[in-house]
Amino acid sequence: MLRAVLGRRAFHTTQINRVKKAVSAEFNVDSASQRLGVSFTTPDILQRALTHKSFEHGQVPSNERLQYLGNRVLGLFATETAVKSNASDVEEQVRQQISADNLAIKFDALNLEPGLQYHLSDGATAKIKAGAYKAVVGAVYHDQGFSAARQFVQKHL
């Protein structure tokens, strides 16, 4: 009957296949901050940067805003680096530097995956890791400012 009213097939999804991954017991935000070389002053900003919007069904603060900010900061610094290096194709070099695959590799190098929180069926894909990397850059920019973000990106990108 519902199908006749709507004129299309009903679509149903389930939460069965989704994996909830919270912060692992061995992850310590303070030691992670030290490894990154950043002394955050905003409480829980690093943990927020590592929290995907799917975690706890969006009921806890997520990294969306920090990811947005970090994406812009990364774009600026990647463009600046490409221009200074006199790259023949600046756009292509920037695109390669801030690609999801490259940022996922950089995220893995930071060893922050034990602190990553999500509730997804695919687990921590390259896109999720890249988003978390952008959010960490956004957190550094938000908390420490422009020059600290520049240093962080130069060191870790």
Side-chain angles (χ1 to χ4, degrees):
M1 176 140 164
L2 181 63
R3 196 180 302 174
V5 172
L6 295 176
R8 58 188 160 126
R9 288 182 54 175
F11 184 74
H12 176 70
T13 61
T14 106
Q15 301 290 325
I16 294 173
N17 294 332
R18 291 189 173 199
V19 176
K20 181 178 178 181
K21 194 249 176 216
V23 176
S24 65
E26 65 268 1
F27 184 74
N28 184 321
V29 174
D30 294 330
S31 65
S33 296
Q34 287 177 346
R35 277 195 327 271
L36 295 176
V38 180
S39 178
F40 291 105
T41 58
T42 305
D44 299 327
I45 195 164
L46 180 57
Q47 192 57 62
R48 187 178 334 148
L50 297 173
T51 304
H52 187 261
K53 66 182 176 181
S54 65
F55 186 70
E56 295 294 336
H57 309 290
Q59 299 301 311
V60 295
S62 74
N63 65 1
E64 279 187 295
R65 287 176 171 233
L66 292 173
Q67 183 178 341
Y68 180 81
L69 179 61
N71 189 39
R72 300 308 179 256
V73 171
L74 275 171
L76 172 66
F77 293 143
T79 303
E80 181 181 65
T81 302
V83 169
K84 283 183 180 178
S85 70
N86 292 323
S88 59
D89 190 357
V90 173
E91 282 186 50
E92 182 60 29
Q93 185 174 344
V94 170
R95 194 174 302 116
Q96 287 175 355
Q97 277 191 313
I98 62 174
S99 70
D101 291 333
N102 186 47
L103 294 181
I105 292 167
K106 301 302 181 182
F107 180 80
D108 288 338
L110 295 177
N111 194 25
L112 293 174
E113 191 163 351
L116 197 57
Q117 299 184 108
Y118 55 84
H119 192 160
L120 301 167
S121 58
D122 297 339
T125 61
K127 185 176 178 181
I128 300 300
K129 291 178 181 181
Y133 183 87
K134 291 175 187 178
V136 170
V137 171
V140 172
Y141 178 81
H142 175 73
D143 191 74
Q144 302 290 310
F146 187 81
S147 61
R150 174 181 273 146
Q151 288 175 348
F152 182 84
V153 169
Q154 288 172 346
K155 182 177 178 182
H156 298 289
L157 184 60

